[in-house]
């Protein structure tokens, strides 16, 4: 392969970013329907069932954190090795990623069979919530292979420039989930009535279908990675280090999000379980809104990583600038829309009058954070792809755990009112976006030096 002729290095940046990111933005947008659809149908069972899923969501996100982090690492290290002409290293990276996903799955099977009931008993004494939450999370953890392998194989496709097949893989899984959710929850036609367990089964089997489809697309279309049982059985320590060097901040991002959500739930439970259910709806809604930003990140990372390795600094800067602009416009439009229809959104989750009273002001306050968070997500991912993962890690710690928990606690303690407590969400995003801009500018001063070093290595190897 003549990597100098790769579209990563030659196609106009705007066109390249659209071709790489748009399919991923669509697929991530569709993928967000997993959690939205689950909650919509589960809410029809009971408010306690919705609360159970809301309490389970932070722990489900632990799976996503690990899967996305590993996939982001793969989507950066493989294009970099290909740009430097290291096909063997790219193969080791890809197969080591498969080994890691197998290891993750084994760990969560054991955790799913042991610790889940205790997790729910820590938070509530409502037996229906404990029972439903245990069923849901046990299934999601023990059958979690689709989360890990889906993210891995989809990001292998994206990293090699095959974004459209990655979109198809995710879309197939999402469509499966949407179709089978009501069938398995309510027992429609020949299907058994499984209640909340049906929502979990629809999700995990949809993810497995997406993972299998992505694997087959890699075998057919991705010539940057060659799968080998021998390489899977003998993972490379260097590959593990390289994958985690880029991907660990993403793991921390979503992992801290889970930790922060857990502690925020404890604060909101002091008011009512309904407040926790409303927060769970906001998390699903926020996740839905940010999926295009995550899709943009997936398209952006391999472009930045490849061109950084090639010393094409102008293409790197243009990519980041365009990504920020697109996501900022998107988030502003969403903010305006959601400010107008919070009652419609809550109505999709069968909200009671009490939930509407709590939820309408909560949604209107929370959506102010969307444009701020969009900028932060793009800048932090750009820093991660440009080997400044420590900056990304700092931003993620602030944004996902430290500031939200601290501000929720302070606003609740100082005001004593639930309505003002929700202001913790936009306040936290304001601090983190300021931090992200400062760190990105600091990183930009070092970028030329890094580029010269990488270019020198590439010339030496050639």
């Amino acid at each position: 392969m003549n990597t100098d002729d790769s579209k990563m290095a030659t196609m106009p940046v705007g066109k390249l970013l659209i071709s790489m990111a748009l399919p991923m933005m669509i697929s991530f947008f569709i993928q967000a329907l997993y959690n939205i659809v689950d909650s919509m149908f589960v809410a029809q069972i009971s408010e306690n069932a919705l609360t159970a899923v809301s309490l389970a969501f932070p722990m489900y996100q632990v799976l996503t954190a690990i899967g996305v982090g590993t996939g982001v690492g793969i989507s950066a290290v493989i294009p970099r090795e290909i740009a430097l002409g290291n096909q063997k290293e790219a193969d080791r990276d890809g197969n080591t990623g498969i080994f890691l996903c197998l290891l993750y799955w084994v760990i969560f099977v054991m955790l799913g069979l042991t610790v889940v009931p205790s997790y729910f008993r820590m938070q509530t004494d409502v037996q229906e919530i404990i029972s439903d939450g245990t069923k849901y999370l046990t299934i999601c953890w023990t059958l979690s292979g689709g989360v890990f392998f889906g993210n891995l194989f989809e990001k292998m496709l994206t990293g090699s420039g095959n974004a459209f097949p990655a979109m198809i893989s995710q879309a197939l899984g999402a469509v499966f989930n949407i179709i089978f959710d009501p069938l398995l929850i309510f027992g429609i036609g020949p299907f058994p009535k499984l209640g909340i367990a049906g929502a979990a089964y629809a999700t995990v089997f949809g993810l497995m279908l997406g993972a299998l489809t992505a694997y087959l697309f890699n075998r057919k279309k991705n010539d940057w990675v060659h799968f080998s049982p021998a390489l899977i059985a003998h993972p490379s320590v260097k590959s593990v280090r390289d994958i985690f060097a880029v991907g660990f901040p993403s793991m921390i991002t979503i992992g801290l999000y889970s930790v922060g959500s857990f502690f925020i739930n404890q604060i909101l439970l002091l008011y009512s379980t309904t407040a926790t259910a409303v927060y769970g709806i906001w998390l699903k809604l926020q996740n839905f809104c940010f999926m295009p930003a995550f899709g943009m990140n997936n398209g952006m990372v391999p472009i930045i990583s490849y061109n950084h390795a090639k010393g094409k600094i102008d293409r790197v800067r243009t990519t980041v600038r365009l990504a920020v602009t697109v996501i900022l416009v998107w988030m502003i439009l969403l903010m305006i829309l959601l400010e107008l229809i919070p009652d419609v959104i809550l109505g999709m989750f069968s909200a009671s009058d009490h939930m509407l009273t709590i939820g309408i002001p909560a949604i209107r306050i929370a959506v102010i954070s969307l444009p701020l968070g969009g900028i932060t997500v793009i800048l932090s991912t750009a820093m991660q792809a440009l080997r400044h993962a420590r900056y990304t890690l700092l931003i993620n710690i602030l944004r996902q755990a430290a500031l939200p928990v601290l501000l929720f606690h302070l606003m609740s303690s100082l005001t004593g009112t639930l309505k003002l407590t929700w202001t913790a969400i936009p306040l936290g995003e304001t601090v983190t976006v300021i931090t992200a801009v400062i760190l990105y500018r600091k990183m930009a001063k070092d970028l030329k030096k890094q580029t010269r070093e990488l270019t020198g290595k590439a010339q030496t190897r050639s």
Side-chain angles (χ1 to χ4, degrees):
M1 181 185 300
N2 183 359
T3 56
D4 288 332
D5 294 333
S6 170
K7 68 179 184 180
M8 296 281 194
T10 59
M11 184 182 290
V13 173
K15 183 178 179 180
L16 177 61
L17 186 60
I18 291 173
S19 69
M20 293 284 289
L22 185 59
M24 294 308 299
M25 292 171 72
I26 295 171
S27 64
F28 270 73
F29 196 80
I30 295 171
Q31 189 182 34
L33 293 175
Y34 278 106
N35 295 319
I36 292 286
V37 170
D38 270 359
S39 295
M40 287 172 57
F41 285 117
V42 166
Q44 297 180 35
I45 301 174
S46 69
E47 188 174 299
N48 279 340
L50 179 60
T51 301
V53 172
S54 297
L55 293 177
F57 186 65
M59 291 300 101
Y60 179 80
Q61 287 294 90
V62 173
L63 305 176
T64 306
I66 296 170
V68 169
T70 304
V72 167
I74 284 290
S75 72
V77 299
I78 289 177
R80 185 169 63 245
E81 296 297 351
I82 292 296
L84 296 174
N86 299 331
Q87 180 64 61
K88 289 184 178 179
E89 289 299 323
D91 289 342
R92 288 192 184 97
D93 293 337
N95 286 278
T96 297
I98 294 176
F99 171 83
L100 289 173
C101 289
L102 288 170
L103 180 62
Y104 303 151
W105 194 358
V106 170
I107 292 171
F108 277 94
V109 167
M110 293 187 292
L111 291 175
L113 296 175
T114 54
V115 305
V116 173
S118 299
Y119 167 74
F120 285 96
R121 292 194 190 100
M122 289 170 55
Q123 302 178 84
T124 181
D125 57 0
V126 179
Q127 191 56 45
E128 183 183 356
I129 296 175
I130 295 172
S131 176
D132 284 349
T134 299
K135 290 177 187 176
Y136 185 86
L137 189 57
T138 297
I139 293 168
C140 289
W141 273 11
T142 56
L143 299 177
S144 57
V147 178
F148 303 131
F149 287 107
N151 277 289
L152 180 77
F153 293 134
E154 286 158 12
K155 287 178 177 59
M156 282 185 184
L157 287 168
T158 306
S160 61
N162 292 289
F164 185 75
M167 181 191 75
I168 296 299
S169 302
Q170 288 192 340
L172 281 176
V175 170
F176 179 96
N177 181 56
I178 293 169
I179 293 173
F180 278 86
D181 246 328
L183 298 179
L184 294 177
I185 291 173
F186 304 114
I188 298 173
F191 297 95
K193 184 178 181 180
L194 299 177
I196 199 168
Y201 282 124
T203 295
V204 296
F205 290 140
L207 289 167
M208 288 181 181
L209 174 62
L212 176 61
T213 305
Y215 168 75
L216 295 175
F217 273 131
N218 272 286
R219 294 297 298 263
K220 184 176 181 179
K221 294 182 174 294
N222 184 3
D223 57 358
W224 282 14
V225 181
H226 307 100
F227 300 122
S228 165
L231 291 177
I232 295 172
H234 297 86
S236 164
V237 175
K238 177 183 179 299
S239 293
V240 172
R241 287 199 304 265
D242 289 346
I243 291 169
F244 276 82
V246 177
F248 187 68
S250 290
M251 295 185 189
I252 293 297
T253 298
I254 307 173
L256 288 175
Y257 177 78
S258 301
V259 173
S261 299
F262 172 81
F263 284 108
I264 290 169
N265 278 333
Q266 308 316 301
I267 296 170
L268 295 175
L269 282 169
L270 298 175
Y271 293 96
S272 68
T273 56
T274 302
T276 304
V278 168
Y279 184 62
I281 292 172
W282 162 246
L283 292 182
K284 305 293 178 66
L285 181 62
Q286 181 189 48
N287 193 45
F288 186 79
C289 294
F290 271 89
M291 279 300 173
F294 298 148
M296 178 66 76
N297 283 345
N298 276 260
M300 179 181 70
V301 166
I303 298 173
I304 292 175
S305 182
Y306 186 97
N307 284 282
H308 185 212
K310 285 290 187 180
K312 297 179 181 292
I313 187 64
D314 289 340
R315 290 176 66 83
V316 172
R317 289 172 174 163
T318 302
T319 300
V320 176
R321 185 172 61 251
L322 288 174
V324 168
T325 302
V326 170
I327 294 305
L328 180 59
V329 171
W330 165 255
M331 289 300 189
I332 290 173
L333 293 175
L334 273 181
M335 179 187 69
I336 295 170
L337 174 64
L338 295 176
E339 285 284 357
L340 298 174
I341 58 167
D343 52 336
V344 175
I345 298 297
L346 292 166
M348 295 167 58
F349 297 89
S350 306
S352 63
D353 290 341
H354 180 53
M355 182 178 286
L356 288 172
T357 300
I358 294 175
I360 289 176
I363 297 298
R364 283 185 168 147
I365 292 170
V367 298
I368 297 171
S369 67
L370 292 178
L372 305 173
I375 297 172
T376 301
V377 166
I378 297 298
L379 292 182
S380 64
T381 301
M383 289 186 277
Q384 181 179 347
L386 293 169
R387 313 295 283 178
H388 280 68
R390 65 188 184 279
Y391 291 172
T392 305
L393 183 59
L394 174 59
I395 293 169
N396 292 342
I397 291 172
L398 290 174
R399 180 172 183 262
Q400 302 293 2
L403 286 173
V405 174
L406 175 62
L407 290 171
F408 261 91
H409 175 71
L410 284 177
M411 297 307 297
S412 178
S413 300
L414 293 175
T415 68
T417 62
L418 181 57
K419 182 177 180 179
L420 291 177
T421 299
W422 300 114
T423 59
I425 296 172
L427 287 174
E429 291 287 16
T430 300
V431 175
T432 51
V433 74
I434 292 171
T435 305
V437 170
I438 292 171
L439 291 178
Y440 184 82
R441 288 181 175 178
K442 185 176 186 300
M443 179 204 69
K445 295 179 181 179
D446 302 327
L447 196 55
K448 288 185 179 180
K449 179 180 178 181
Q450 293 181 19
T451 303
R452 286 195 298 269
E453 292 174 354
L454 288 170
T455 303
K457 291 180 181 179
Q459 291 173 346
T460 301
R461 290 171 186 251
S462 62

